PDB file of all heavy atoms in Angstrom:
ATOM      1  N   SER A   6     -35.192  -5.859 -58.382  1.00  0.00           N
ATOM      2  CA  SER A   6     -35.956  -4.659 -58.042  1.00  0.00           C
ATOM      3  C   SER A   6     -35.091  -3.437 -58.341  1.00  0.00           C
ATOM      4  O   SER A   6     -33.863  -3.529 -58.409  1.00  0.00           O
ATOM      5  CB  SER A   6     -36.352  -4.689 -56.570  1.00  0.00           C
ATOM      6  OG  SER A   6     -35.210  -4.525 -55.764  1.00  0.00           O
ATOM      7  N   ALA A  45      -9.540   8.621 -48.732  1.00  0.00           N
ATOM      8  CA  ALA A  45      -9.447   9.328 -50.014  1.00  0.00           C
ATOM      9  C   ALA A  45     -10.617   8.976 -50.946  1.00  0.00           C
ATOM     10  O   ALA A  45     -11.094   9.823 -51.695  1.00  0.00           O
ATOM     11  CB  ALA A  45      -8.116   9.005 -50.693  1.00  0.00           C
ATOM     12  N   GLU A  63      -3.466  -4.758 -51.021  1.00  0.00           N
ATOM     13  CA  GLU A  63      -2.312  -5.539 -50.567  1.00  0.00           C
ATOM     14  C   GLU A  63      -1.254  -5.628 -51.661  1.00  0.00           C
ATOM     15  O   GLU A  63      -0.048  -5.537 -51.392  1.00  0.00           O
ATOM     16  CB  GLU A  63      -2.759  -6.932 -50.129  1.00  0.00           C
ATOM     17  CG  GLU A  63      -3.516  -6.918 -48.815  1.00  0.00           C
ATOM     18  CD  GLU A  63      -4.095  -8.274 -48.437  1.00  0.00           C
ATOM     19  OE1 GLU A  63      -4.156  -9.182 -49.308  1.00  0.00           O
ATOM     20  OE2 GLU A  63      -4.498  -8.423 -47.268  1.00  0.00           O
ATOM     21  N   GLY A  77      13.380  13.224 -53.252  1.00  0.00           N
ATOM     22  CA  GLY A  77      12.359  14.232 -53.519  1.00  0.00           C
ATOM     23  C   GLY A  77      12.151  14.453 -55.011  1.00  0.00           C
ATOM     24  O   GLY A  77      11.123  14.956 -55.437  1.00  0.00           O
ATOM     25  N   LEU A  91      22.435   8.743 -42.803  1.00  0.00           N
ATOM     26  CA  LEU A  91      22.483   8.073 -41.503  1.00  0.00           C
ATOM     27  C   LEU A  91      23.614   8.627 -40.644  1.00  0.00           C
ATOM     28  O   LEU A  91      23.427   8.909 -39.451  1.00  0.00           O
ATOM     29  CB  LEU A  91      22.651   6.562 -41.698  1.00  0.00           C
ATOM     30  CG  LEU A  91      22.744   5.714 -40.436  1.00  0.00           C
ATOM     31  CD1 LEU A  91      21.466   5.857 -39.611  1.00  0.00           C
ATOM     32  CD2 LEU A  91      22.997   4.255 -40.786  1.00  0.00           C
ATOM     33  N   ALA A 130      18.612  32.977   9.652  1.00  0.00           N
ATOM     34  CA  ALA A 130      17.573  33.493  10.547  1.00  0.00           C
ATOM     35  C   ALA A 130      17.237  32.465  11.622  1.00  0.00           C
ATOM     36  O   ALA A 130      17.105  32.809  12.813  1.00  0.00           O
ATOM     37  CB  ALA A 130      16.326  33.859   9.746  1.00  0.00           C
ATOM     38  N   LEU A 174      15.656  20.764  73.042  1.00  0.00           N
ATOM     39  CA  LEU A 174      14.431  20.107  73.489  1.00  0.00           C
ATOM     40  C   LEU A 174      14.776  18.859  74.292  1.00  0.00           C
ATOM     41  O   LEU A 174      14.153  18.603  75.338  1.00  0.00           O
ATOM     42  CB  LEU A 174      13.548  19.754  72.281  1.00  0.00           C
ATOM     43  CG  LEU A 174      12.201  19.154  72.588  1.00  0.00           C
ATOM     44  CD1 LEU A 174      11.370  20.107  73.447  1.00  0.00           C
ATOM     45  CD2 LEU A 174      11.455  18.791  71.347  1.00  0.00           C
TER      46      LEU A 174
END
Side-chain angles (χ1 to χ4, degrees):
S6 69
E63 288 174 346
L91 179 61
L174 184 59

